[in-house]
Amino acid sequence: MGLPQRLILTLLSIYLYSATVVNTQQEFKIQSVELIIEPRNDVTAGTNVTLRCHATVSTSTGKGLIREYTILKNDKIVYTKTIGSSEDFVYQLHNARVFSTGLYQCKLDIQGDTKLSKAQRLNVQGLSQPVLHLNTNVVNEGEEVQATCIAPGEIGSFIFFFFDNDEQISRVEGLSNQAKTTFRLSGADIHKIHCSYKIRTAEDTFPSTKSNNVTVSVKELSITPELKIFPDSTIYEGDHLNISCSAKNVHSSSEGYKLFLSQGTKLLRTGNSTINHNMVAVPKASEALTFDCRVVVRNVEKYSEKKISVVELFSVPSLTMSPTEVFQGQIMTLTCNSDGFASQRINREDLEYTLYPSKNLPSSGKPGVFNVKALQNDFNYTCSAEAKGIKKDSKTLMIRPKVHVSALKISIEDKVILKKSFTILCQSNGSLPINYTLFKDNVQVGTKVIREQNRQAVFMDVINEPGERQYRCEAKNSLHSNKTGSSQHLSVNVIVPLSQMTLAVIPSSLKISEGKELNFICSVNGTGPVTFKWYRTGSVVPLQTNTTTETYSNLEIKPVSKNDSDEYYCEASNGANKVRSENVNVQVFMAPWKKGLIVVACLLLLLLLVLLLVASMLNIKSKRDAVSFFDGKEGRVTNGTRHSVASVPADISNRSSYSIPATV
């Protein structure tokens, strides 16, 4: 670095240092920052756009401050610059392109104090038309073509597309405004090539128009594949086919080529010269056999295809059984048969049938017919038909022997009550489906078909008359046999609901003396067994419970007492319903001998009271006589000793004012 450059850097450092010292000595406030887009926010591509950043800053001294401006696009920094003046900061977008579209902001930083402007959107519209260049306009079939697509003046993230007659053949992505690609054209034809591009921004993708069309002529290769199949007339199953695949119009100057021979998707042979392939004709179900011969040279592929139909010599045999359902141990007939055959090549007698497995099979004397005994479990059979060395197998026939119905049971789920429906269940062992029939007194009531394991046949019935009924079930699971299973007879006794309940009392008078016997008799109409319960009103605990086959019952209380006076009632139930009698009020009175005893006791008590009263009156009279005797004397009384006399005052008649002292 020379002396002048060092001097300039030294002076600039001194200036910046001095400015910093000055800045630290004054106070400031960033009032506002505004971003202005000129000439306007919406412009066309190629316009020169100015981003003007205008800031209002108040200072204490009015001297300049060091300011750092930053331009942001979509929140990413685009440009940063530090200036020392208060003039607007200007950022130029020369020849603005679509890629310049976005949200812009201006940020001001003074000594760490920052302020951000409001965002302003710049919209740039219009992409330049792409230009396409090809390295040649005439190519041989299979040769490469190099293409270059240019987006003049555009910037950004690009996706280029190349088309052959409006069919996309290539795609290239990158940051450059031009892209190159190579491709091959096939077929003797005129090809029109063009390109287009898209520019991706943070918010959207903008497509361009189509480029110019460039015409390319393709010279087709003269080489062609040749496919031959012999025989070329009617082909029968088992015929031998000879197939050849070769290339025609091959010149000594031609590049090397390769042949591929295929049948459908199966590659049979490959080679660099004529391919020969021998095979036996095998028909394909409802389809012709397709053969393909392809020749590949210089990345060009040409093919020839032929389809042939093969007549089936005989059809795939089918194996059937008769009858269609069979039970364990039953003899059945298995028939193996090919429905169709080519009568031009074979007769029906030429077909030989075999059953697998074929151990100890009784002969039926007819071709393809076998008599077999059904096993105890599931088993499989197949058969084959063979003629002219061709063998075909049938599909597997799985035989599932059925099991006859057995262990048929009948039961009733509910109580049988007169005129109410109830449920009858029938169930048995055996193969499904099972047909159940219900009989009542040997008259058919209904039928049910059960198709699921462990399911019972459910019947509903109603008995409207009292008495015993006989039910039974029959079960059958064979369509071709009359063999059925039958249950035992089930006897059903109908429960008649209770009614017309009466409660009688013996003795008939509801007033009874203590010590007597009291009998309650409760009777109903209906069928037994009947449970009778006896209650006193107010108590939930029965006095007596009795179950009997009769329609009446009694409660006996002996001997009765006064405590037995109460209201009584009875209840009766028999599984169909419950009935209750009306209350009976019983009053127990005192026994006659107790009444007589009470009368005698009362008379004796009255006599005693009279005697006591007489005695009391006599006692009072004797006391009065004694007082009269002393009133005639001179006031003498004894002092408590025999023969001693005390003098008393003469005026003894005034007793209320004189008291005699007690002598102890």
Side-chain angles (χ1 to χ4, degrees):
M1 182 181 291
L3 181 60
Q5 289 85 350
R6 291 180 180 176
L7 181 60
I8 291 172
L9 288 175
T10 302
L11 292 175
L12 181 59
S13 300
I14 294 173
Y15 170 76
L16 292 175
Y17 174 76
S18 300
T20 302
V21 172
V22 171
N23 286 341
T24 58
Q25 294 175 352
Q26 62 176 324
E27 295 182 354
F28 65 91
K29 175 63 178 174
I30 303 175
Q31 294 183 355
S32 64
V33 178
E34 181 183 8
L35 178 65
I36 303 170
I37 298 178
E38 299 173 350
R40 54 192 170 275
N41 290 62
D42 296 326
V43 298
T44 57
T47 304
N48 292 327
V49 177
T50 299
L51 302 180
R52 182 179 299 278
C53 193
H54 175 74
T56 302
V57 182
S58 58
T59 64
S60 60
T61 62
K63 295 181 180 181
L65 298 169
I66 301 300
R67 308 182 184 201
E68 182 183 83
Y69 285 96
T70 301
I71 299 297
L72 298 98
K73 175 189 175 185
N74 298 325
D75 297 326
K76 294 182 179 180
I77 297 176
V78 175
Y79 183 75
T80 300
K81 186 175 181 180
T82 301
I83 62 176
S85 68
S86 60
E87 296 180 355
D88 291 348
F89 171 68
V90 175
Y91 177 70
Q92 299 289 341
L93 291 175
H94 298 287
N95 191 21
R97 315 306 299 182
V98 170
F99 186 73
S100 303
T101 297
L103 287 174
Y104 288 86
Q105 289 177 286
C106 176
K107 184 174 75 171
L108 175 58
D109 186 339
I110 302 177
Q111 299 180 18
D113 187 12
T114 63
K115 200 171 191 70
L116 191 66
S117 71
K118 291 184 178 180
Q120 293 290 331
R121 183 172 183 81
L122 173 63
N123 292 314
V124 182
Q125 299 178 348
L127 290 173
S128 61
Q129 183 182 11
V131 179
L132 177 66
H133 297 287
L134 300 181
N135 65 335
T136 182
N137 295 96
V138 180
V139 294
N140 292 319
E141 188 177 13
E143 289 183 345
E144 284 190 345
V145 177
Q146 186 177 38
T148 303
C149 188
I150 303 173
E154 300 296 340
I155 59 173
S157 177
F158 293 87
I159 308 175
F160 287 92
F161 304 92
F162 296 85
F163 298 88
D164 175 14
N165 296 329
D166 295 327
E167 181 181 349
Q168 182 179 318
I169 57 176
S170 182
R171 169 190 169 116
V172 180
E173 297 187 24
L175 299 177
S176 174
N177 69 336
Q178 61 178 301
K180 294 183 179 182
T181 188
T182 58
F183 49 86
R184 289 184 172 86
L185 301 175
S186 61
D189 200 357
I190 301 298
H191 297 262
K192 292 183 179 180
I193 312 300
H194 71 270
C195 70
S196 65
Y197 65 91
K198 291 181 180 180
I199 291 182
R200 290 183 296 197
T201 66
E203 298 176 343
D204 204 351
T205 300
F206 300 90
S208 73
T209 59
K210 294 181 180 180
S211 72
N212 56 303
N213 284 316
V214 178
T215 302
V216 179
S217 298
V218 179
K219 296 180 180 180
E220 185 179 11
L221 293 177
S222 60
I223 189 170
T224 57
E226 184 178 30
L227 178 62
K228 295 180 180 179
I229 301 175
F230 181 82
D232 55 2
S233 58
T234 304
I235 301 172
Y236 289 91
E237 181 181 11
D239 289 352
H240 290 275
L241 299 178
N242 182 270
I243 306 167
S244 68
C245 175
S246 60
K248 294 172 59 179
N249 303 323
V250 179
H251 303 287
S252 58
S253 60
S254 299
E255 296 181 13
Y257 63 90
K258 192 169 185 179
L259 294 167
F260 298 86
L261 177 62
S262 303
Q263 179 190 347
T265 58
K266 182 181 180 181
L267 182 63
L268 299 177
R269 286 180 181 273
T270 63
N272 297 319
S273 60
T274 301
I275 299 173
N276 291 307
H277 180 71
N278 296 314
M279 61 180 290
V280 175
V282 178
K284 197 173 182 180
S286 69
E287 292 183 18
L289 300 183
T290 302
F291 293 92
D292 183 286
C293 176
R294 291 177 182 264
V295 59
V296 178
V297 56
R298 292 209 305 256
N299 296 313
V300 176
E301 186 175 309
K302 296 187 177 184
Y303 70 94
S304 175
E305 182 181 271
K306 284 187 178 181
K307 293 184 178 182
I308 63 171
S309 296
V310 179
V311 179
E312 192 176 42
L313 191 62
F314 58 90
S315 61
V316 175
S318 61
L319 183 60
T320 58
M321 62 178 282
S322 177
T324 55
E325 64 172 17
V326 63
F327 287 84
Q328 295 174 346
Q330 182 180 348
I331 299 297
M332 60 182 174
T333 300
L334 300 180
T335 302
C336 185
N337 182 52
S338 292
D339 294 330
F341 63 95
S343 59
Q344 297 85 349
R345 292 292 181 93
I346 63 172
N347 298 317
R348 183 171 292 278
E349 292 75 17
D350 295 330
L351 290 169
E352 294 183 2
Y353 298 100
T354 306
L355 184 68
Y356 304 98
S358 56
K359 295 181 180 180
N360 302 322
L361 295 178
S363 175
S364 65
K366 296 181 180 179
V369 179
F370 308 91
N371 294 323
V372 180
K373 185 177 182 180
L375 303 179
Q376 298 297 313
N377 48 12
D378 297 354
F379 54 98
N380 298 329
Y381 278 105
T382 59
C383 75
S384 66
E386 186 173 1
K388 300 288 185 180
I390 298 175
K391 184 178 180 180
K392 298 181 181 181
D393 294 325
S394 70
K395 293 182 179 180
T396 300
L397 174 65
M398 186 181 72
I399 299 176
R400 181 168 292 171
K402 298 183 69 173
V403 179
H404 282 293
V405 292
S406 62
L408 182 56
K409 298 179 181 178
I410 183 171
S411 61
I412 293 180
E413 190 175 57
D414 310 313
K415 295 179 180 179
V416 182
I417 300 173
L418 187 68
K419 296 183 179 180
K420 289 189 177 181
S421 63
F422 61 96
T423 303
I424 303 171
L425 304 177
C426 295
Q427 187 174 18
S428 69
N429 298 329
S431 300
L432 300 173
I434 300 177
N435 293 278
Y436 290 92
T437 304
L438 178 66
F439 294 88
K440 178 171 70 174
D441 295 334
N442 294 322
V443 177
Q444 182 175 322
V445 175
T447 60
K448 297 284 183 179
V449 179
I450 300 301
R451 304 181 186 276
E452 298 179 19
Q453 291 287 353
N454 302 319
R455 289 288 302 273
Q456 297 174 312
V458 180
F459 296 92
M460 302 298 294
D461 196 24
V462 177
I463 298 177
N464 295 314
E465 296 293 335
E468 185 179 78
R469 297 291 184 273
Q470 297 289 331
Y471 286 90
R472 65 181 177 87
C473 281
E474 285 187 358
K476 179 181 178 182
N477 62 350
S478 174
L479 299 176
H480 307 285
S481 173
N482 293 324
K483 185 175 181 179
T484 59
S486 181
S487 71
Q488 295 181 348
H489 285 79
L490 178 65
S491 297
V492 176
N493 288 313
V494 183
I495 300 176
V496 179
L498 302 179
S499 63
Q500 298 180 6
M501 188 175 199
T502 59
L503 177 58
V505 182
I506 299 175
S508 59
S509 173
L510 298 182
K511 297 180 180 181
I512 188 172
S513 299
E514 289 180 309
K516 301 291 185 178
E517 291 185 4
L518 179 63
N519 279 281
F520 297 92
I521 300 176
C522 194
S523 63
V524 292
N525 287 341
T527 57
V530 183
T531 298
F532 292 91
K533 293 183 180 181
W534 306 86
Y535 295 89
R536 294 177 71 159
T537 56
S539 175
V540 295
V541 180
L543 298 172
Q544 177 180 297
T545 300
N546 183 30
T547 301
T548 177
T549 57
E550 303 294 339
T551 56
Y552 60 88
S553 182
N554 71 300
L555 170 66
E556 183 180 273
I557 302 176
K558 64 177 183 177
V560 295
S561 65
K562 187 70 174 178
N563 293 332
D564 294 323
S565 295
D566 207 338
E567 290 187 348
Y568 294 82
Y569 67 91
C570 75
E571 285 184 353
S573 60
N574 67 344
N577 64 335
K578 181 195 293 185
V579 293
R580 171 182 163 164
S581 71
E582 295 183 355
N583 293 350
V584 173
N585 190 2
V586 176
Q587 297 181 6
V588 180
F589 294 93
M590 188 178 298
W593 66 269
K594 286 186 178 181
K595 293 180 181 180
L597 183 60
I598 291 173
V599 171
V600 172
C602 290
L603 292 175
L604 291 175
L605 180 60
L606 180 61
L607 178 60
L608 179 60
L609 291 175
V610 171
L611 293 175
L612 291 175
L613 180 60
V614 171
S616 176
M617 293 178 62
L618 292 175
N619 187 29
I620 293 172
K621 184 178 179 182
S622 61
K623 288 181 179 181
R624 288 180 178 175
D625 290 340
V627 171
S628 299
F629 173 75
F630 283 108
D631 285 344
K633 304 298 179 179
E634 293 181 356
R636 293 181 298 170
V637 295
T638 62
N639 59 3
T641 58
R642 194 174 181 181
H643 305 298
S644 65
V645 178
S647 60
V648 294
D651 192 8
I652 197 172
S653 62
N654 190 6
R655 297 183 178 92
S656 62
S657 61
Y658 183 81
S659 62
I660 301 174
T663 302
V664 181

